[in-house]
Amino acid sequence: MKKEQPIGVFDSGLGGLTVVKSLIEQMPDEDIIYFGDTARVPYGSRSSETIQTYACQDVEFLLQYQVKAVVIACNTADSMARTLIEERYDLPVVGVVGPAAQKAVAQTANGKIGVIGTKATVNSGAYEKAVKAIDPFMRVFSRACPLLVPLVENGRFQRNDKVVRIILDEYLEPLHRENIDTLVLGCTHYPLLKEAVQACLPDVNIISSGEASTDTLRELLTRHNLLNDTKERGEHRYFVSDDAATFTENAEIFLGRSLDGAVQCITL
Ligand code: DGL
């Protein structure tokens, strides 16, 4: 493995671009290959077997580009397929659940952490396990929010959007009642809803899963002597399994900047 090889990042769709956003900001020298499985999004309502199959196919696609590490920029795939990916492929793997759990434990004052995510992520109990492994006295309150990914993929995330507000009110009410002081957005699509979520829970500290994973990736690459420090701006390539035009249209909102690389539609 060489430092100059790209980092591979995947998600079921657009959400993983929120992770790419922090990667570009924090590690601008790195080349990135992104794969969004837009033909099969959402993953979060599927069985663990299906999610594992999809996640391995995503990794195998990235491996064609000689990636030096893989970032599972999808809480659902991280919760369901992380162990399998680590066993099956011989390269450094970084997920989003562990780093976000660590951040939540470090930041909560009352030890009550809320987590919202897809059905698969919440049912897997991955956040509870990750949090309790750090501090068994923490309390975790999770809520599956299956309607949020389709909303975000369809461009509905503004805080004044009535539909978004009604759905968030319903999902967040039970967490509010538990008096959480920290909420993990346990899905990489949700950072776009951050303002809307904050409007529902004004006193709660919100953590975006994904942001924290950049630090973990940096540590891992440094440990393996794989950090690209050439001081040249990295190249970014984007691949999707369906409809490159829609992806291109929405990608800028997720990245918070204009798309700086080609988007190509591929068949897995
Ligand atoms: N961004 C994925 C996650 O973090 C979305 C899941 C989905 O496709 O349902 O869980």
Side-chain angles (χ1 to χ4, degrees), residues 44 75-76 114-123 127 141-149 171 175 183-188 190:
N75 288 263
T76 308
V115 176
I116 53 173
T118 65
K119 229 192 243 174
T121 300
V122 168
N123 290 347
Y127 271 99
F141 303 92
S142 307
R143 187 93 164 105
C145 305
L147 296 177
L148 297 186
V149 170
Y171 283 149
L175 300 177
L183 176 71
V184 178
L185 303 181
C187 170
T188 52
Y190 298 175

PDB file of all heavy atoms in Angstrom, residues 44 75-76 114-123 127 141-149 171 175 183-188 190:
ATOM      1  N   GLY A  44     -31.444   1.278   4.993  1.00  0.00           N
ATOM      2  CA  GLY A  44     -31.835   1.188   6.401  1.00  0.00           C
ATOM      3  C   GLY A  44     -33.064   0.380   6.727  1.00  0.00           C
ATOM      4  O   GLY A  44     -33.291   0.031   7.883  1.00  0.00           O
ATOM      5  N   ASN A  75     -23.971   4.719   8.550  1.00  0.00           N
ATOM      6  CA  ASN A  75     -24.161   4.084   9.866  1.00  0.00           C
ATOM      7  C   ASN A  75     -24.783   2.702   9.725  1.00  0.00           C
ATOM      8  O   ASN A  75     -24.469   1.784  10.483  1.00  0.00           O
ATOM      9  CB  ASN A  75     -25.084   4.947  10.731  1.00  0.00           C
ATOM     10  CG  ASN A  75     -24.414   6.222  11.200  1.00  0.00           C
ATOM     11  OD1 ASN A  75     -23.912   6.290  12.312  1.00  0.00           O
ATOM     12  ND2 ASN A  75     -24.372   7.233  10.351  1.00  0.00           N
ATOM     13  N   THR A  76     -25.689   2.572   8.752  1.00  0.00           N
ATOM     14  CA  THR A  76     -26.398   1.316   8.553  1.00  0.00           C
ATOM     15  C   THR A  76     -25.418   0.208   8.161  1.00  0.00           C
ATOM     16  O   THR A  76     -25.406  -0.876   8.756  1.00  0.00           O
ATOM     17  CB  THR A  76     -27.467   1.497   7.450  1.00  0.00           C
ATOM     18  OG1 THR A  76     -28.266   2.635   7.794  1.00  0.00           O
ATOM     19  CG2 THR A  76     -28.326   0.277   7.293  1.00  0.00           C
ATOM     20  N   GLY A 114     -29.056  10.644  23.223  1.00  0.00           N
ATOM     21  CA  GLY A 114     -30.073  10.215  22.263  1.00  0.00           C
ATOM     22  C   GLY A 114     -29.391   9.839  20.955  1.00  0.00           C
ATOM     23  O   GLY A 114     -28.338  10.382  20.620  1.00  0.00           O
ATOM     24  N   VAL A 115     -29.988   8.885  20.249  1.00  0.00           N
ATOM     25  CA  VAL A 115     -29.463   8.504  18.927  1.00  0.00           C
ATOM     26  C   VAL A 115     -30.646   8.383  17.983  1.00  0.00           C
ATOM     27  O   VAL A 115     -31.636   7.714  18.304  1.00  0.00           O
ATOM     28  CB  VAL A 115     -28.726   7.140  18.967  1.00  0.00           C
ATOM     29  CG1 VAL A 115     -28.273   6.728  17.571  1.00  0.00           C
ATOM     30  CG2 VAL A 115     -27.532   7.177  19.918  1.00  0.00           C
ATOM     31  N   ILE A 116     -30.555   9.031  16.828  1.00  0.00           N
ATOM     32  CA  ILE A 116     -31.556   8.770  15.791  1.00  0.00           C
ATOM     33  C   ILE A 116     -30.832   8.161  14.588  1.00  0.00           C
ATOM     34  O   ILE A 116     -29.694   8.518  14.294  1.00  0.00           O
ATOM     35  CB  ILE A 116     -32.379  10.020  15.390  1.00  0.00           C
ATOM     36  CG1 ILE A 116     -31.493  11.205  14.990  1.00  0.00           C
ATOM     37  CG2 ILE A 116     -33.329  10.418  16.503  1.00  0.00           C
ATOM     38  CD1 ILE A 116     -32.287  12.395  14.420  1.00  0.00           C
ATOM     39  N   GLY A 117     -31.497   7.219  13.930  1.00  0.00           N
ATOM     40  CA  GLY A 117     -30.868   6.546  12.799  1.00  0.00           C
ATOM     41  C   GLY A 117     -31.898   5.748  12.037  1.00  0.00           C
ATOM     42  O   GLY A 117     -33.099   5.834  12.302  1.00  0.00           O
ATOM     43  N   THR A 118     -31.415   4.944  11.093  1.00  0.00           N
ATOM     44  CA  THR A 118     -32.338   4.103  10.333  1.00  0.00           C
ATOM     45  C   THR A 118     -32.796   2.937  11.229  1.00  0.00           C
ATOM     46  O   THR A 118     -32.218   2.696  12.291  1.00  0.00           O
ATOM     47  CB  THR A 118     -31.646   3.519   9.082  1.00  0.00           C
ATOM     48  OG1 THR A 118     -30.612   2.638   9.511  1.00  0.00           O
ATOM     49  CG2 THR A 118     -31.067   4.612   8.196  1.00  0.00           C
ATOM     50  N   LYS A 119     -33.792   2.222  10.728  1.00  0.00           N
ATOM     51  CA  LYS A 119     -34.311   1.071  11.471  1.00  0.00           C
ATOM     52  C   LYS A 119     -33.188   0.062  11.730  1.00  0.00           C
ATOM     53  O   LYS A 119     -33.019  -0.447  12.839  1.00  0.00           O
ATOM     54  CB  LYS A 119     -35.384   0.406  10.608  1.00  0.00           C
ATOM     55  CG  LYS A 119     -36.670   0.137  11.337  1.00  0.00           C
ATOM     56  CD  LYS A 119     -37.512  -0.762  10.476  1.00  0.00           C
ATOM     57  CE  LYS A 119     -38.788  -0.048  10.095  1.00  0.00           C
ATOM     58  NZ  LYS A 119     -39.608  -0.790   9.148  1.00  0.00           N
ATOM     59  N   ALA A 120     -32.402  -0.219  10.695  1.00  0.00           N
ATOM     60  CA  ALA A 120     -31.336  -1.230  10.820  1.00  0.00           C
ATOM     61  C   ALA A 120     -30.301  -0.792  11.858  1.00  0.00           C
ATOM     62  O   ALA A 120     -29.872  -1.598  12.690  1.00  0.00           O
ATOM     63  CB  ALA A 120     -30.668  -1.450   9.460  1.00  0.00           C
ATOM     64  N   THR A 121     -29.908   0.467  11.818  1.00  0.00           N
ATOM     65  CA  THR A 121     -28.898   0.959  12.771  1.00  0.00           C
ATOM     66  C   THR A 121     -29.425   0.854  14.194  1.00  0.00           C
ATOM     67  O   THR A 121     -28.748   0.345  15.088  1.00  0.00           O
ATOM     68  CB  THR A 121     -28.524   2.431  12.451  1.00  0.00           C
ATOM     69  OG1 THR A 121     -27.991   2.486  11.133  1.00  0.00           O
ATOM     70  CG2 THR A 121     -27.506   2.977  13.434  1.00  0.00           C
ATOM     71  N   VAL A 122     -30.645   1.320  14.401  1.00  0.00           N
ATOM     72  CA  VAL A 122     -31.209   1.320  15.760  1.00  0.00           C
ATOM     73  C   VAL A 122     -31.424  -0.115  16.238  1.00  0.00           C
ATOM     74  O   VAL A 122     -31.038  -0.470  17.354  1.00  0.00           O
ATOM     75  CB  VAL A 122     -32.504   2.171  15.802  1.00  0.00           C
ATOM     76  CG1 VAL A 122     -33.260   1.957  17.100  1.00  0.00           C
ATOM     77  CG2 VAL A 122     -32.149   3.647  15.619  1.00  0.00           C
ATOM     78  N   ASN A 123     -31.986  -0.972  15.379  1.00  0.00           N
ATOM     79  CA  ASN A 123     -32.223  -2.358  15.804  1.00  0.00           C
ATOM     80  C   ASN A 123     -30.932  -3.123  16.084  1.00  0.00           C
ATOM     81  O   ASN A 123     -30.922  -4.064  16.868  1.00  0.00           O
ATOM     82  CB  ASN A 123     -33.046  -3.118  14.749  1.00  0.00           C
ATOM     83  CG  ASN A 123     -34.480  -2.615  14.708  1.00  0.00           C
ATOM     84  OD1 ASN A 123     -34.919  -1.892  15.602  1.00  0.00           O
ATOM     85  ND2 ASN A 123     -35.216  -2.973  13.666  1.00  0.00           N
ATOM     86  N   TYR A 127     -24.938   1.567  18.553  1.00  0.00           N
ATOM     87  CA  TYR A 127     -24.577   2.749  19.360  1.00  0.00           C
ATOM     88  C   TYR A 127     -24.551   2.434  20.854  1.00  0.00           C
ATOM     89  O   TYR A 127     -23.646   2.860  21.562  1.00  0.00           O
ATOM     90  CB  TYR A 127     -25.512   3.930  19.052  1.00  0.00           C
ATOM     91  CG  TYR A 127     -24.986   4.764  17.909  1.00  0.00           C
ATOM     92  CD1 TYR A 127     -25.475   4.606  16.627  1.00  0.00           C
ATOM     93  CD2 TYR A 127     -23.964   5.683  18.108  1.00  0.00           C
ATOM     94  CE1 TYR A 127     -24.967   5.348  15.563  1.00  0.00           C
ATOM     95  CE2 TYR A 127     -23.445   6.423  17.060  1.00  0.00           C
ATOM     96  CZ  TYR A 127     -23.949   6.261  15.793  1.00  0.00           C
ATOM     97  OH  TYR A 127     -23.419   6.995  14.751  1.00  0.00           O
ATOM     98  N   PHE A 141     -30.739   6.456  24.491  1.00  0.00           N
ATOM     99  CA  PHE A 141     -32.147   6.387  24.064  1.00  0.00           C
ATOM    100  C   PHE A 141     -32.166   6.506  22.542  1.00  0.00           C
ATOM    101  O   PHE A 141     -31.750   7.531  21.995  1.00  0.00           O
ATOM    102  CB  PHE A 141     -32.944   7.528  24.703  1.00  0.00           C
ATOM    103  CG  PHE A 141     -32.868   7.511  26.199  1.00  0.00           C
ATOM    104  CD1 PHE A 141     -31.887   8.247  26.861  1.00  0.00           C
ATOM    105  CD2 PHE A 141     -33.745   6.747  26.949  1.00  0.00           C
ATOM    106  CE1 PHE A 141     -31.794   8.225  28.246  1.00  0.00           C
ATOM    107  CE2 PHE A 141     -33.659   6.705  28.330  1.00  0.00           C
ATOM    108  CZ  PHE A 141     -32.684   7.449  28.983  1.00  0.00           C
ATOM    109  N   SER A 142     -32.617   5.423  21.871  1.00  0.00           N
ATOM    110  CA  SER A 142     -32.539   5.418  20.402  1.00  0.00           C
ATOM    111  C   SER A 142     -33.921   5.464  19.776  1.00  0.00           C
ATOM    112  O   SER A 142     -34.885   4.942  20.336  1.00  0.00           O
ATOM    113  CB  SER A 142     -31.849   4.139  19.917  1.00  0.00           C
ATOM    114  OG  SER A 142     -30.617   3.995  20.556  1.00  0.00           O
ATOM    115  N   ARG A 143     -33.954   6.032  18.588  1.00  0.00           N
ATOM    116  CA  ARG A 143     -35.230   6.134  17.890  1.00  0.00           C
ATOM    117  C   ARG A 143     -34.973   5.927  16.396  1.00  0.00           C
ATOM    118  O   ARG A 143     -34.144   6.633  15.796  1.00  0.00           O
ATOM    119  CB  ARG A 143     -35.759   7.554  18.149  1.00  0.00           C
ATOM    120  CG  ARG A 143     -37.132   7.792  17.655  1.00  0.00           C
ATOM    121  CD  ARG A 143     -38.166   7.522  18.738  1.00  0.00           C
ATOM    122  NE  ARG A 143     -39.444   8.103  18.361  1.00  0.00           N
ATOM    123  CZ  ARG A 143     -40.481   7.403  17.925  1.00  0.00           C
ATOM    124  NH1 ARG A 143     -40.407   6.107  17.830  1.00  0.00           N
ATOM    125  NH2 ARG A 143     -41.614   8.005  17.603  1.00  0.00           N
ATOM    126  N   ALA A 144     -35.674   4.946  15.824  1.00  0.00           N
ATOM    127  CA  ALA A 144     -35.566   4.735  14.373  1.00  0.00           C
ATOM    128  C   ALA A 144     -36.410   5.780  13.648  1.00  0.00           C
ATOM    129  O   ALA A 144     -37.543   6.047  14.049  1.00  0.00           O
ATOM    130  CB  ALA A 144     -36.053   3.334  14.017  1.00  0.00           C
ATOM    131  N   CYS A 145     -35.867   6.354  12.593  1.00  0.00           N
ATOM    132  CA  CYS A 145     -36.565   7.430  11.865  1.00  0.00           C
ATOM    133  C   CYS A 145     -36.591   7.111  10.366  1.00  0.00           C
ATOM    134  O   CYS A 145     -35.931   7.783   9.567  1.00  0.00           O
ATOM    135  CB  CYS A 145     -35.840   8.756  12.093  1.00  0.00           C
ATOM    136  SG  CYS A 145     -35.623   9.198  13.812  1.00  0.00           S
ATOM    137  N   PRO A 146     -37.345   6.058   9.984  1.00  0.00           N
ATOM    138  CA  PRO A 146     -37.268   5.581   8.594  1.00  0.00           C
ATOM    139  C   PRO A 146     -37.695   6.585   7.530  1.00  0.00           C
ATOM    140  O   PRO A 146     -37.341   6.421   6.362  1.00  0.00           O
ATOM    141  CB  PRO A 146     -38.192   4.359   8.591  1.00  0.00           C
ATOM    142  CG  PRO A 146     -39.016   4.458   9.822  1.00  0.00           C
ATOM    143  CD  PRO A 146     -38.230   5.231  10.817  1.00  0.00           C
ATOM    144  N   LEU A 147     -38.441   7.618   7.909  1.00  0.00           N
ATOM    145  CA  LEU A 147     -38.897   8.561   6.876  1.00  0.00           C
ATOM    146  C   LEU A 147     -37.855   9.618   6.530  1.00  0.00           C
ATOM    147  O   LEU A 147     -37.997  10.339   5.540  1.00  0.00           O
ATOM    148  CB  LEU A 147     -40.184   9.269   7.339  1.00  0.00           C
ATOM    149  CG  LEU A 147     -41.401   8.371   7.526  1.00  0.00           C
ATOM    150  CD1 LEU A 147     -42.586   9.176   8.063  1.00  0.00           C
ATOM    151  CD2 LEU A 147     -41.789   7.727   6.199  1.00  0.00           C
ATOM    152  N   LEU A 148     -36.796   9.726   7.323  1.00  0.00           N
ATOM    153  CA  LEU A 148     -35.883  10.863   7.121  1.00  0.00           C
ATOM    154  C   LEU A 148     -34.972  10.722   5.890  1.00  0.00           C
ATOM    155  O   LEU A 148     -34.739  11.714   5.197  1.00  0.00           O
ATOM    156  CB  LEU A 148     -35.043  11.105   8.383  1.00  0.00           C
ATOM    157  CG  LEU A 148     -35.832  11.500   9.645  1.00  0.00           C
ATOM    158  CD1 LEU A 148     -34.876  11.845  10.781  1.00  0.00           C
ATOM    159  CD2 LEU A 148     -36.780  12.667   9.388  1.00  0.00           C
ATOM    160  N   VAL A 149     -34.468   9.517   5.614  1.00  0.00           N
ATOM    161  CA  VAL A 149     -33.577   9.387   4.442  1.00  0.00           C
ATOM    162  C   VAL A 149     -34.321   9.713   3.134  1.00  0.00           C
ATOM    163  O   VAL A 149     -33.828  10.519   2.342  1.00  0.00           O
ATOM    164  CB  VAL A 149     -32.892   7.992   4.393  1.00  0.00           C
ATOM    165  CG1 VAL A 149     -32.179   7.769   3.064  1.00  0.00           C
ATOM    166  CG2 VAL A 149     -31.884   7.870   5.532  1.00  0.00           C
ATOM    167  N   TYR A 171     -40.790  12.110  15.887  1.00  0.00           N
ATOM    168  CA  TYR A 171     -39.630  11.254  16.183  1.00  0.00           C
ATOM    169  C   TYR A 171     -38.878  11.706  17.447  1.00  0.00           C
ATOM    170  O   TYR A 171     -38.336  10.884  18.183  1.00  0.00           O
ATOM    171  CB  TYR A 171     -38.656  11.275  15.007  1.00  0.00           C
ATOM    172  CG  TYR A 171     -39.056  10.423  13.809  1.00  0.00           C
ATOM    173  CD1 TYR A 171     -38.682  10.806  12.522  1.00  0.00           C
ATOM    174  CD2 TYR A 171     -39.757   9.239  13.962  1.00  0.00           C
ATOM    175  CE1 TYR A 171     -39.013  10.031  11.411  1.00  0.00           C
ATOM    176  CE2 TYR A 171     -40.097   8.462  12.858  1.00  0.00           C
ATOM    177  CZ  TYR A 171     -39.728   8.867  11.587  1.00  0.00           C
ATOM    178  OH  TYR A 171     -40.053   8.088  10.503  1.00  0.00           O
ATOM    179  N   LEU A 175     -37.493  11.393  22.883  1.00  0.00           N
ATOM    180  CA  LEU A 175     -36.121  11.663  23.326  1.00  0.00           C
ATOM    181  C   LEU A 175     -36.101  12.915  24.206  1.00  0.00           C
ATOM    182  O   LEU A 175     -35.392  12.985  25.214  1.00  0.00           O
ATOM    183  CB  LEU A 175     -35.187  11.845  22.124  1.00  0.00           C
ATOM    184  CG  LEU A 175     -35.093  10.633  21.185  1.00  0.00           C
ATOM    185  CD1 LEU A 175     -34.201  10.944  19.996  1.00  0.00           C
ATOM    186  CD2 LEU A 175     -34.540   9.420  21.934  1.00  0.00           C
ATOM    187  N   LEU A 183     -27.457  14.573  21.335  1.00  0.00           N
ATOM    188  CA  LEU A 183     -28.136  13.736  20.341  1.00  0.00           C
ATOM    189  C   LEU A 183     -27.168  13.421  19.201  1.00  0.00           C
ATOM    190  O   LEU A 183     -26.608  14.333  18.588  1.00  0.00           O
ATOM    191  CB  LEU A 183     -29.360  14.461  19.765  1.00  0.00           C
ATOM    192  CG  LEU A 183     -30.088  13.710  18.649  1.00  0.00           C
ATOM    193  CD1 LEU A 183     -30.838  12.492  19.199  1.00  0.00           C
ATOM    194  CD2 LEU A 183     -31.062  14.617  17.910  1.00  0.00           C
ATOM    195  N   VAL A 184     -26.993  12.127  18.922  1.00  0.00           N
ATOM    196  CA  VAL A 184     -26.165  11.736  17.779  1.00  0.00           C
ATOM    197  C   VAL A 184     -27.066  11.595  16.553  1.00  0.00           C
ATOM    198  O   VAL A 184     -28.063  10.873  16.588  1.00  0.00           O
ATOM    199  CB  VAL A 184     -25.452  10.388  18.033  1.00  0.00           C
ATOM    200  CG1 VAL A 184     -24.646   9.972  16.807  1.00  0.00           C
ATOM    201  CG2 VAL A 184     -24.556  10.469  19.259  1.00  0.00           C
ATOM    202  N   LEU A 185     -26.699  12.289  15.488  1.00  0.00           N
ATOM    203  CA  LEU A 185     -27.383  12.084  14.210  1.00  0.00           C
ATOM    204  C   LEU A 185     -26.742  10.835  13.604  1.00  0.00           C
ATOM    205  O   LEU A 185     -25.720  10.907  12.925  1.00  0.00           O
ATOM    206  CB  LEU A 185     -27.194  13.300  13.296  1.00  0.00           C
ATOM    207  CG  LEU A 185     -27.656  14.653  13.862  1.00  0.00           C
ATOM    208  CD1 LEU A 185     -27.444  15.766  12.841  1.00  0.00           C
ATOM    209  CD2 LEU A 185     -29.125  14.607  14.285  1.00  0.00           C
ATOM    210  N   GLY A 186     -27.343   9.678  13.926  1.00  0.00           N
ATOM    211  CA  GLY A 186     -26.726   8.401  13.586  1.00  0.00           C
ATOM    212  C   GLY A 186     -27.019   7.935  12.177  1.00  0.00           C
ATOM    213  O   GLY A 186     -27.257   6.735  11.945  1.00  0.00           O
ATOM    214  N   CYS A 187     -26.989   8.857  11.257  1.00  0.00           N
ATOM    215  CA  CYS A 187     -27.163   8.540   9.840  1.00  0.00           C
ATOM    216  C   CYS A 187     -26.493   9.692   9.094  1.00  0.00           C
ATOM    217  O   CYS A 187     -26.717  10.858   9.434  1.00  0.00           O
ATOM    218  CB  CYS A 187     -28.644   8.459   9.482  1.00  0.00           C
ATOM    219  SG  CYS A 187     -28.945   8.343   7.704  1.00  0.00           S
ATOM    220  N   THR A 188     -25.700   9.362   8.099  1.00  0.00           N
ATOM    221  CA  THR A 188     -24.923  10.416   7.440  1.00  0.00           C
ATOM    222  C   THR A 188     -25.776  11.315   6.530  1.00  0.00           C
ATOM    223  O   THR A 188     -25.283  12.308   6.020  1.00  0.00           O
ATOM    224  CB  THR A 188     -23.751   9.808   6.635  1.00  0.00           C
ATOM    225  OG1 THR A 188     -24.278   8.784   5.780  1.00  0.00           O
ATOM    226  CG2 THR A 188     -22.712   9.229   7.565  1.00  0.00           C
ATOM    227  N   TYR A 190     -28.406  12.793   7.869  1.00  0.00           N
ATOM    228  CA  TYR A 190     -29.083  13.715   8.788  1.00  0.00           C
ATOM    229  C   TYR A 190     -28.406  15.061   9.028  1.00  0.00           C
ATOM    230  O   TYR A 190     -29.101  15.990   9.472  1.00  0.00           O
ATOM    231  CB  TYR A 190     -29.333  13.043  10.147  1.00  0.00           C
ATOM    232  CG  TYR A 190     -30.237  11.817  10.154  1.00  0.00           C
ATOM    233  CD1 TYR A 190     -30.427  11.092  11.330  1.00  0.00           C
ATOM    234  CD2 TYR A 190     -30.897  11.380   9.005  1.00  0.00           C
ATOM    235  CE1 TYR A 190     -31.236   9.960  11.367  1.00  0.00           C
ATOM    236  CE2 TYR A 190     -31.696  10.234   9.038  1.00  0.00           C
ATOM    237  CZ  TYR A 190     -31.855   9.531  10.216  1.00  0.00           C
ATOM    238  OH  TYR A 190     -32.650   8.409  10.249  1.00  0.00           O
TER     239      TYR A 190
END
